[in-house]
Amino acid sequence: MHLTFNREQDMWQAKREGADRVSVKAETKKEVDESAREIARNNRLELVIHDKKGKIIDSDSFGKDPYPPKDIKH
């Protein structure tokens, strides 16, 4: 699932990879982030967060990772 900014609609949105429709959209990134995390957690998806320019700034995996990373995000 990708959390991105839609410039045409001037809104944040979250959409599953390969999906035709947006799962969540709102005016604030915080609103979309909260809903997208819940969807990703419930469906064991990876959440990839982009900034307004489209650059990946963070990601969280909620799936079964056979080799979980040992690093800690700062």
Side-chain angles (χ1 to χ4, degrees), residues 6-55:
N6 183 320
R7 292 184 185 282
E8 293 174 5
Q9 296 180 355
D10 195 33
M11 296 188 86
W12 288 94
Q13 65 184 27
K15 183 177 172 183
R16 285 186 181 207
E17 194 166 331
D20 293 330
R21 296 179 10 175
V22 172
S23 298
V24 179
K25 65 180 175 179
E27 291 183 12
T28 68
K29 184 177 181 181
K30 181 180 179 183
E31 288 177 275
V32 175
D33 187 290
E34 290 171 357
S35 296
R37 284 182 187 280
E38 184 176 337
I39 293 168
R41 191 176 296 111
N42 291 339
N43 293 282
R44 300 181 161 276
L45 301 172
E46 181 171 4
L47 177 62
V48 180
I49 303 166
H50 301 259
D51 64 11
K52 278 192 170 184
K53 294 181 180 181
K55 180 182 174 187

